[in-house]
Amino acid sequence: MTTIDASPLRGQERPGPRRQEVVTGIKEYILRNRLKPGDLLPTETELCEAVGASRSSVREAVKILSALDIVEVRHGHGTFVGRMSLNALVESLAFRGLLSGEEDHRVLGQVVDVRQTLEQGLAANIIDVLDAGHLAGLAALADQMADLAAQDKDFLEVDREFHLKLMEPLGNDLILQLTEAFWQVQAIVAPTLRTDPEDRVITAQRHRAIVDAISAGDPAALRAAIAEHYAPVRASLARAVQS
């Protein structure tokens, strides 16, 4: 059984460290002891000893780290290493996007740029690794979007599932997290745009074109289909800037 060093920073302790130093100390503790997401952190008393800080400083630092999803506080059970998600990035970008939404929609345009660049850049890789099961799943989602669009119903959650399934076969967790993070930002900010009634139908058709390009094994066609997929939101952005 490996013994965890409860006080790796004891030699560097000094009274009353600033809040950010305590945050850094806890992150260093996690790294030094090779803790993984889901692992239980020491008690508050032990953390105070480890980073040379008071209970109030440790509590404030834990709040900051919790907001960043670096740690997770489960009341009655303790504090655990978090999932390290991109929630903080999503909240920050979404807020910035909403702030600029009524003016120039600059942040939303940048988010669309990132999403399109990521998907187009990985087009050949997606075709190489995407199997028949994933292709059938994407086709079913595209059909579901078309059905909902024909009924003038929203298909936001289906869209999210489509883009995650598109990237899933790559087996890269960071790509999946980035895909979901930027999708969430766009989903939060995009409603500030004025859209045309036919945009849903067009968007559903563009998802089907993505599936067809993958089925044909044509990276160039897939990159073109991805560009066309983002064309409606780009048109909405252009109208917003002109208005």
Side-chain angles (χ1 to χ4, degrees), residues 120-178:
Q120 286 182 314
L122 293 168
N125 305 70
I126 290 168
I127 287 174
D128 285 343
V129 301
L130 201 143
D131 59 25
H134 273 88
L135 184 60
L138 287 171
L141 291 169
D143 289 343
Q144 190 176 349
M145 288 186 214
D147 290 342
L148 290 169
Q151 301 172 54
D152 197 26
K153 292 182 179 178
D154 183 74
F155 49 76
L156 200 61
E157 188 56 35
V158 184
D159 183 274
R160 171 184 170 276
E161 189 175 348
F162 182 96
H163 287 278
L164 289 176
K165 186 171 285 292
L166 184 68
M167 296 299 199
E168 191 177 64
L170 295 171
N172 187 313
D173 289 339
L174 183 55
I175 288 175
L176 271 180
Q177 286 187 44
L178 287 170

Side-chain angles (χ1 to χ4, degrees), residues 48-144:
C48 290
E49 176 70 15
V51 300
S54 66
R55 286 179 180 271
S56 61
S57 295
V58 166
R59 286 172 185 167
E60 285 298 314
V62 166
K63 286 179 183 178
I64 294 170
L65 292 169
S66 179
L68 297 171
D69 209 18
I70 292 176
V71 304
E72 177 187 356
V73 179
R74 302 177 193 170
H75 296 292
H77 298 280
T79 301
F80 297 78
V81 179
R83 296 178 296 111
M84 315 296 179
S85 74
L86 299 179
N87 289 343
L89 173 67
V90 170
E91 291 186 17
S92 176
L93 284 176
F95 186 67
R96 286 175 55 197
L98 291 170
L99 281 177
S100 69
E102 298 301 324
E103 299 172 3
D104 56 12
H105 295 86
R106 183 176 62 259
V107 173
L108 180 55
Q110 292 170 348
V111 167
V112 172
D113 286 342
V114 171
R115 291 189 65 199
Q116 182 173 330
T117 300
L118 188 62
E119 291 178 353
Q120 286 182 314
L122 293 168
N125 305 70
I126 290 168
I127 287 174
D128 285 343
V129 301
L130 201 143
D131 59 25
H134 273 88
L135 184 60
L138 287 171
L141 291 169
D143 289 343
Q144 190 176 349

